[in-house]
Amino acid sequence: EIVMTQSPATLSVSPGERATLSCRASQSVRSNLAWYQQKPGQGPRLLIYGASTRATGIPARFSGSGSGTEFTLTISSLQSEDFAVYYCQQYNNWPRTFGQGTKVEIK
Amino acid sequence: EVQLVESGGGLVQPGGSLRLSCAASGFTFSNYAMSWVRQAPGKGLEWVSTIIGSGDDTYSADSVKGRFTISRDNSKNTLYLQMNSLRAEDTAVYYCAKSDTVTTTFLTNWGQGTLVTVSS
């Protein structure tokens, strides 16, 4: 099983600042990596797939990069609606696995 | 607009059974793989099971293999999860999610979830 490790667990950021979230895979997943955003009481929302492609309707302030085992999600200028929990997920191998999540909170 | 509406959750005793349903609309259901993902209270996401568009192939996490069965009825645009021999650690919100393709890749749309509580 591929273990996905996200860091940090919690990120405190002021509105308007940049947020950088990391995701590491225990073995290569090529570019088969997705990022999701989850707000309290809601189902997750797809942000990024293929490590760097924004999903439909996702603002340009969200960007993804990386391949193999190291990935990054960057939110260039945090808006109030971006404070949430973010998960990475690999879809290269079975079983599909998620990182434990990074909570982005208001500083 | 894609809509996924889960139902069937509730309180069940350890060892009991429950069947979850997910009603899908807004897309051609049989053209997409579908999955169940769960989230224990206060915890992260855990993939549970996936079924391809035709229903011919399924994949399941080791933690539920032999106890949970994913299935679909493409004539009714509905996804199911039959859960048997339930344990306390199966307590979670269960989400239905749509894949990007007929086989399986990432999850493009998610429902709001249905809560399953396993307790005596």
Side-chain angles (χ1 to χ4, degrees), chain A residues 36 38 44 49 87 94 96, chain B residues 39 47 95 104 106-107 110:
Chain A
Y36 303 90
Q38 187 179 32
Y49 63 90
Y87 295 94
W94 298 103
R96 303 311 196 214
Chain B
Q39 186 170 37
W47 169 77
Y95 294 102
T104 176
F106 46 91
L107 303 173
W110 299 62

Side-chain angles (χ1 to χ4, degrees), chain B residues 78-115:
Chain B
T78 302
L79 176 72
Y80 302 100
L81 186 67
Q82 178 66 44
M83 303 186 295
N84 299 330
S85 303
L86 282 159
R87 307 167 180 165
E89 54 264 36
D90 296 319
T91 294
V93 174
Y94 285 74
Y95 294 102
C96 160
K98 168 187 167 291
S99 281
D100 181 56
T101 67
V102 68
T103 51
T104 176
T105 53
F106 46 91
L107 303 173
T108 59
N109 302 84
W110 299 62
Q112 290 296 302
T114 187
L115 176 62

Side-chain angles (χ1 to χ4, degrees), chain A residues 45-79:
Chain A
R45 177 174 73 145
L46 175 68
L47 297 176
I48 300 284
Y49 63 90
S52 61
T53 302
R54 276 190 305 277
T56 303
I58 300 304
R61 64 181 181 272
F62 291 91
S63 63
S65 64
S67 66
T69 61
E70 300 283 343
F71 302 90
T72 300
L73 174 70
T74 302
I75 312 172
S76 60
S77 176
L78 270 156
Q79 306 299 302

Side-chain angles (χ1 to χ4, degrees), chain B residues 39-50:
Chain B
Q39 186 170 37
K43 301 298 184 183
L45 301 170
E46 179 188 14
W47 169 77
V48 173
S49 196
T50 295

